[in-house]
Amino acid sequence: MQKVIVGMSGGVDSSVTAYLLKERGYEVEAISMVLWEPETKAGHGACCSLRSLESAAQTAENIGITHRVLDLRDIFHEKVVEPFVKAYLSGMTPNPCILCNRFIKFPHLLREAEKQGAGFIATGHYARVEPFPSCKNDSPGTSSTAYLENKNKEGMESSPCFCLKKGVDPRKDQSYVLYILRQTELSRLLLPLGAYEKDEIRKIAKKHNLPAFNRTESQEICFIQGRAYASFIEERARKTGKSGPIIAMKNNEVIGVHKGIHGYTVGQRKGLGISSPDPLYVVKIDAMKNTVYVGPQDEVRKKEFFVAYLNWVNPIKPFFHEKGGQEGAFRATVKVRSTMKDEPATLYPETNPYLPLFPEGGMEGFSNHNVRVVFDEPQWAPAPGQSAVFYEGNRVIGGGVIIDFC
């Protein structure tokens, strides 16, 4: 019997993941990670808080699997919370879920798998992992689960690599936040929910009376109550930004005063504290000048930007050491937020990149090359600090962090 370590948050997705894998004959062990304990104790709390462990423990007992808890609050603060705060103070818009997946959740799941002699790890993400040859032309192919089961039974040699694909439910696809995974994780990762739609998962949970079947989903960052980003940063930063000018892009005139650049993000309209006959949005944040620039909608839409701190899941070709500029360019679709549809673009590798310093502790271990992304049509509010993820059909090629506009 193959053993799998399942990351269980206490929510419906990870609960059904554990259930499905046990039904398929795996020896399942659930691991819950305590990452943050919210100051407000109402409800279930954050997805990886102490209160969420009650649901995870009850689910494990109902399913009949082992459940253990890892307290990772210190390293979570170091690798996720601190870089998040520093990024906002630098005028960037980071994605803490991606940092958490890269530096906390998957490394610790693999570590526990090694300790417990488990061949696999699993999470409740809506995405798919498949051997690379089966998904070159986006055919249904063989799932990683079936492939690895056959490999272990028949003594097949290991696949050279695995690819990451979108989940079948476009409303819930989470491949965007998994682009930072490498072959080390993908070769052992099971994602059973990638083949389901969300409504099906809730029905399974309800049918088998799993405690989380009616638990509401949180759309917030787990360590921030509501959307009070600015106050959270101010409470934890040793030194917050000073007030500075808000400048209109069209005439370079000062039209207001901001309260610190950490309280603003590209695309923001509300809370600017300025009056104008036409709607104005944050277009750019200049940390060096402590300035927020605003303009109309059209100026928020960007067609080109640079992406660095790259991770290539399965690159189309190893172009960086061979070609640059126009010769090394290739077509892909790109998304800059998890909820947007990936849009067609051309990617140009940069052979002599300028790589700015990301807030300390944020993105170590990534490629030091960068790519210029040129969309076919301008897209809404790409912002430095956000991740841009590259696709070929349903397959994730790779991705990185937006560092600057062209």
Side-chain angles (χ1 to χ4, degrees):
M1 182 184 293
Q2 290 291 316
K3 186 172 184 178
V4 57
I5 303 296
V6 177
M8 183 178 285
S9 66
V12 65
D13 294 331
S14 59
S15 297
V16 173
T17 295
Y19 170 80
L20 289 174
L21 291 173
K22 187 170 188 293
E23 287 296 297
R24 293 174 187 176
Y26 287 92
E27 178 188 351
V28 178
E29 180 173 327
I31 297 289
S32 293
M33 302 176 187
V34 182
L35 304 179
W36 187 262
E37 184 57 18
E39 296 170 2
T40 301
K41 302 296 182 181
H44 282 86
C47 65
C48 296
S49 68
L50 288 170
R51 289 181 66 83
S52 69
L53 299 185
E54 298 171 6
S55 176
Q58 187 178 353
T59 297
E61 183 178 356
N62 287 11
I63 296 174
I65 61 175
T66 303
H67 175 250
R68 292 189 297 113
V69 176
L70 300 180
D71 189 341
L72 302 176
R73 283 176 287 185
D74 288 344
I75 191 171
F76 181 78
H77 190 274
E78 175 191 344
K79 294 293 187 180
V80 178
V81 178
E82 288 183 7
F84 173 88
V85 171
K86 291 176 181 177
Y88 262 99
L89 291 173
S90 301
M92 305 179 83
T93 305
N95 189 316
C97 295
I98 290 173
L99 288 177
C100 184
N101 286 334
R102 171 70 178 88
F103 296 110
I104 308 295
K105 289 185 178 179
F106 286 93
H108 282 87
L109 284 175
L110 277 180
R111 196 169 302 164
E112 290 302 310
E114 292 297 327
K115 288 180 182 178
Q116 303 301 322
F120 304 100
I121 60 173
T123 67
H125 287 97
Y126 288 82
R128 293 173 288 167
V129 179
E130 296 181 359
F132 185 65
S134 73
C135 55
K136 277 185 176 177
N137 60 3
D138 201 35
S139 63
T142 306
S143 70
S144 60
T145 308
Y147 180 90
L148 288 168
E149 285 174 342
N150 290 334
K151 181 189 73 172
N152 289 322
K153 289 176 182 177
E154 301 171 15
M156 297 166 60
E157 293 185 4
S158 298
S159 174
C161 65
F162 289 80
C163 69
L164 175 66
K165 297 180 69 175
K166 297 177 184 177
V168 298
D169 186 345
R171 298 170 303 166
K172 291 299 297 180
D173 169 51
Q174 293 173 305
S175 59
Y176 175 88
V177 298
L178 299 178
Y179 83 88
I180 39 68
L181 295 180
R182 296 183 262 198
Q183 291 301 311
T184 305
E185 294 95 2
L186 290 173
S187 62
R188 300 173 67 177
L189 177 60
L190 306 179
L191 298 174
L193 301 197
Y196 292 85
E197 294 191 355
K198 179 71 177 191
D199 292 343
E200 295 177 279
I201 296 305
R202 285 216 177 270
K203 288 177 182 177
I204 292 171
K206 185 174 183 179
K207 178 180 179 181
H208 299 284
N209 199 32
L210 300 182
F213 81 88
N214 62 349
R215 181 174 169 182
T216 57
E217 287 186 87
S218 173
Q219 303 298 321
E220 302 169 355
I221 294 175
C222 68
F223 53 87
I224 297 180
Q225 297 293 307
R227 297 187 62 83
Y229 293 10
S231 59
F232 177 88
I233 292 165
E234 289 162 9
E235 289 171 5
R236 284 156 183 81
R238 296 176 183 175
K239 183 173 68 173
T240 56
K242 298 178 181 179
S243 60
I246 297 177
I247 294 180
M249 296 283 286
K250 66 177 180 179
N251 54 18
N252 209 36
E253 289 185 0
V254 176
I255 60 172
V257 177
H258 67 74
K259 300 177 182 179
I261 61 172
H262 63 281
Y264 302 81
T265 186
V266 172
Q268 178 179 337
R269 178 185 174 189
K270 296 182 178 179
L272 300 182
I274 55 178
S275 59
S276 170
D278 301 308
L280 294 177
Y281 303 79
V282 174
V283 175
K284 183 175 71 170
I285 300 170
D286 190 327
M288 295 296 291
K289 295 180 180 179
N290 191 34
T291 299
V292 174
Y293 294 88
V294 297
Q297 252 189 27
D298 288 349
E299 295 193 51
V300 186
R301 298 182 186 278
K302 299 294 182 182
K303 190 172 182 179
E304 302 183 32
F305 49 81
F306 290 104
V307 178
Y309 305 99
L310 299 166
N311 183 60
W312 296 105
V313 181
N314 298 125
I316 291 178
K317 52 188 175 182
F319 50 81
F320 279 114
H321 67 282
E322 295 176 350
K323 299 177 180 179
Q326 298 287 340
E327 291 185 49
F330 64 94
R331 296 284 291 171
T333 56
V334 179
K335 63 164 63 179
V336 297
R337 285 178 300 279
S338 61
T339 54
M340 76 172 278
K341 178 183 179 293
D342 48 308
E343 297 290 346
T346 303
L347 277 58
Y348 298 89
E350 296 291 316
T351 53
N352 296 300
Y354 163 67
L355 190 63
L357 182 65
F358 196 84
E360 183 181 354
M363 301 299 285
E364 66 268 19
F366 287 78
S367 166
N368 62 354
H369 297 99
N370 69 6
V371 158
R372 180 164 60 97
V373 173
V374 182
F375 279 112
D376 291 3
E377 300 292 336
Q379 300 299 316
W380 177 256
Q386 288 178 332
S387 288
V389 178
F390 319 138
Y391 293 83
E392 183 186 45
N394 281 337
R395 179 170 66 88
V396 177
I397 303 167
V401 178
I402 299 172
I403 56 172
D404 203 359
F405 301 122
C406 300

